[in-house]
Amino acid sequence: MNLPSKVKIVDVGPRDGLQNEKAQVPAAVKIELVHRLQDAGLTEIEVTSFVSPKWVPQMADAAEVMAGITRKPGVRYSVLTPNMKGFEAAVLCKPDEIVVFAAASEAFSQRNINCSIEESIERFRPVTEAALSQGIRVRGAISCAVGCPYEGEVAPERVEMVARLLKGIGVQHMGVADTIGVGTPLKVQRAMEATLRHYDINDVSGHFHDTYGQALGNTLICLEMGIWNYDTSSAGLGGCPYAKGATGNVATEDVVYMLQGMGIDTGIDLDKLIDAGKFISDYLERKPNSRAATALLNKRTG
């Protein structure tokens, strides 16, 4: 097995994890979560999203959150920018990286943003050009890379096409996202192989949802391919909008526990990470959606 000796994790909890929460989470709580994550050793944090407050009210305080963070040297702070208006607002907050995304499913693209995949990517061209000209890194994501709530299974050829088009507009790093968590290891492997036709192995990451309990298995097969970048969410924050009551993002704690058990370095302090997840879970008045965190918290009080 070609296992990496280290893994880099992007914690997307503050953005992807919180964006679907119905009750508004105050900026101060989001800022505290970011601070706790960086104190736990996270060096990549997806902080917020510069989207229309009309569509995502939870992210209306994006500028306030970015302004309130005490930045730590060596930590990369990224923000989602779905269009030029979002980028222009984001750039005032000096993000280290912006994130753009396109679906590998034509139906998903049409239903969500009323345009084709190719049109959606063309819309990002001025955004990526503006970011790169200002020295801001550009990360991309391919959503619905293995399955779509409208189309069902998504062919690797669609993933390959999206990776090629995003590479063509200057996107530097590509995340392969199983948005609804239906992926299983071989399907994920094929989606990754399709992406690797256009991106170096160091510039590809996995973003897995645990809706059907497959996220750790999907992570493991990618580790065996030598992929060492992953998106995860503290306390498993983030529901899946297409499967009622289902879990969303894989919990950072579960991935770190698995990696530590495999002798793979993450640079993350698991106890501090669990504390960060407990902090936000306590605020949301629920238990952390992480098996590892639950087990280790029980051990503390046992």
Side-chain angles (χ1 to χ4, degrees):
M1 285 192 297
N2 182 31
L3 289 174
S5 58
K6 65 173 183 177
V7 157
K8 184 166 66 180
I9 286 177
V10 180
D11 198 297
V12 300
R15 198 282 300 175
D16 198 16
L18 291 178
Q19 70 175 10
N20 288 325
E21 289 293 330
K22 296 286 182 282
Q24 190 68 31
V25 178
V29 173
K30 294 171 182 171
I31 292 163
E32 176 68 12
L33 175 60
V34 171
H35 287 163
R36 284 173 177 256
L37 290 172
Q38 63 189 26
D39 288 346
L42 268 300
T43 57
E44 303 237 1
I45 302 170
E46 195 170 289
V47 178
T48 188
S49 180
F50 284 83
V51 289
S52 166
K54 179 182 168 188
W55 301 114
V56 190
Q58 189 63 254
M59 298 287 120
D61 57 4
E64 185 185 350
V65 172
M66 284 295 284
I69 293 166
T70 301
R71 298 196 183 198
K72 191 173 180 179
V75 177
R76 182 183 282 154
Y77 304 91
S78 59
V79 300
L80 193 78
T81 55
N83 49 40
M84 201 61 201
K85 188 178 179 184
F87 174 77
E88 285 166 355
V91 79
L92 300 174
C93 302
K94 297 184 166 52
D96 301 306
E97 177 182 71
I98 62 158
V99 185
V100 297
F101 57 92
S105 154
E106 202 65 65
F108 192 88
S109 188
Q110 291 288 355
R111 293 272 189 108
N112 278 272
I113 47 177
N114 301 313
C115 67
S116 71
I117 294 169
E118 294 199 31
E119 285 170 336
S120 75
I121 293 169
E122 251 337 283
R123 287 181 187 177
F124 283 125
R125 187 183 291 276
V127 177
T128 57
E129 286 173 354
L132 294 170
S133 72
Q134 295 185 49
I136 299 170
R137 193 167 181 264
V138 180
R139 178 159 57 93
I142 303 172
S143 59
C144 297
V146 285
C148 166
Y150 313 116
E151 275 181 26
E153 205 161 312
V154 172
E157 291 76 18
R158 308 296 295 175
V159 178
E160 190 270 337
M161 180 194 84
V162 176
R164 173 173 52 81
L165 292 172
L166 286 169
K167 182 81 171 178
I169 64 165
V171 175
Q172 295 162 298
H173 181 101
M174 190 51 55
V176 176
D178 180 13
T179 310
I180 56 172
V182 294
T184 47
L186 288 178
K187 290 176 184 177
V188 166
Q189 183 180 4
R190 291 181 192 120
M192 282 292 181
E193 286 168 348
T195 306
L196 287 166
R197 292 192 190 113
H198 299 283
Y199 283 87
D200 184 82
I201 199 159
N202 298 311
D203 297 322
V204 169
S205 55
H207 179 115
F208 305 127
H209 285 226
D210 206 31
T211 317
Y212 290 86
Q214 301 297 300
L216 289 178
N218 293 337
T219 302
L220 182 58
I221 200 162
C222 291
L223 287 167
E224 289 172 354
M225 295 172 72
I227 291 163
W228 59 282
N229 289 277
Y230 297 91
D231 295 351
T232 62
S233 179
S234 49
L237 289 174
C240 179
Y242 307 105
K244 196 174 179 183
T247 55
N249 297 289
V250 67
T252 308
E253 298 91 328
D254 293 349
V255 174
V256 170
Y257 179 83
M258 181 179 83
L259 293 170
Q260 286 187 356
M262 296 170 74
I264 296 172
D265 177 37
T266 61
I268 294 169
D269 182 317
L270 184 55
D271 279 323
K272 286 187 175 180
L273 176 65
I274 287 168
D275 290 341
K278 188 175 186 308
F279 161 76
I280 190 64
S281 300
D282 285 349
Y283 178 80
L284 296 169
E285 299 182 335
R286 68 178 75 134
K287 290 180 179 175
N289 196 11
S290 157
R291 297 283 183 88
T294 300
L296 291 167
L297 285 168
N298 287 341
K299 214 172 178 181
R300 285 183 190 179
T301 57

